[in-house]
Every structure is written in C-alpha cells, then in structure tokens.
Amino acid sequence: MSDLRELYQTTILDHYKKPRNFGPLAAANADATGDNPLCGDHVTVHLFVDGDVVRDVHFEGSGCAISTASASMMTETVKGRTRAEAERLFDRFHRLVAGPSEDLPGPEELGKLAVFSGVREHPARIKCATLAWHALHSALGEARTVSTE
Ligand code: ZN
C-alpha cells in the first residue's frame, strides 16, 4: 500500500506539472465541460470521435493537482479506445475512487489509473478525480447524438 501511495504522489505531480494532451483540439467533434465549485476545478474535454473510435482526446482548464492529473491520465487512457471501452473505463474509475470497497476493480482492469485508489481515503477529492471522466462521459453522449443524425 505504501508503494502505491508513493506512486500516487509521484504520478499525480508528474501529470500536474506536465499535463498530457493539454490544449485545444482542432479536429474535435464533441466537447463537454465539468465544474467542481467546491475546489475550483474547471475542465473541458475535447474529443475527436471517428465512427466507434475515440481517435483523439484533449483537455483544457485549470484546477488542483488531482483534477489536472486525472484529466491528463484520462486522455492518455482513452485515446484510441472504442466508445464502449471508454465508457467501461469511466465506470471502473468511478468504482475505484467512490464505489463500495467490496466491488473494487482489479489493477489489471485499470492499469496506471490504479494509483487513484488513494483518493478513496479523501472523500472531498473524489469530485476532483472524477471531474474529467464525467466530462468525457457527457462528450461521448454528445458524439453519439451527432453520429446518429
Ligand atoms: Zn480539485
């Protein structure tokens, strides 16, 4: 557990200082914004969805280390996945940080995202960690609407 805690801090700081896929996305065809007024986090997620595949994901905004790192890692994890895989990851991530402890997804299901299990011990930070994922979920819904027209 202490290894995971150390990894958690290192990983969060790394992504906070050097957020991946940060900035606008010219090809975006779906966007969604999430706000967490309790902490002052603000995240906009841009998606380029091609058919069933999320080809590219970017994010913009500002917030605390956890919200920024979570958004950064979300973009890395979701890029290249199908919509269904992205939604499944959203569900697993949510269970990881906020679900009942007997229903935790295994590390093999989450990969690097497993470091966020530390958030469970700090309920006030759950919204920070899930903000970008909720925005992703909304953007995927928007993309679905667009594609059926
Ligand atoms: Zn926050």
Side-chain angles (χ1 to χ4, degrees), residues 2 15-16 23-25 32 73 77 89 91 98 122 127 130 144:
S2 65
H15 280 264
Y16 179 52
L25 180 62
M73 289 179 75
T77 310
L89 281 161
D91 175 65
H122 308 280
K127 275 221 131 183
T130 56
R144 186 171 296 121

Side-chain angles (χ1 to χ4, degrees), residues 36 39-41 63-64 66-67 125 128:
N36 177 18
C39 181
D41 309 316
C64 66
I66 291 178
S67 72
R125 312 315 295 271
C128 303

Side-chain angles (χ1 to χ4, degrees), residues 54-139:
V54 181
R55 296 272 178 219
D56 210 351
V57 193
H58 277 215
F59 81 101
E60 297 182 273
S62 61
C64 66
I66 291 178
S67 72
T68 304
S70 178
S72 172
M73 289 179 75
M74 181 278 288
T75 62
E76 282 195 327
T77 310
V78 167
K79 201 167 174 170
R81 306 272 189 152
T82 65
R83 294 160 190 269
E85 285 169 345
E87 292 283 12
R88 225 167 9 244
L89 281 161
F90 164 73
D91 175 65
R92 282 176 194 158
F93 188 80
H94 208 269
R95 272 162 48 211
L96 176 77
V97 299
S101 53
E102 62 273 17
D103 188 33
L104 281 181
E108 72 287 350
E109 291 185 276
L110 282 155
K112 284 194 286 183
L113 296 175
V115 299
F116 280 95
S117 64
V119 171
R120 298 178 64 81
E121 297 161 35
H122 308 280
R125 312 315 295 271
I126 290 172
K127 275 221 131 183
C128 303
T130 56
L131 187 63
W133 287 91
H134 280 288
L136 166 75
H137 182 63
S138 305

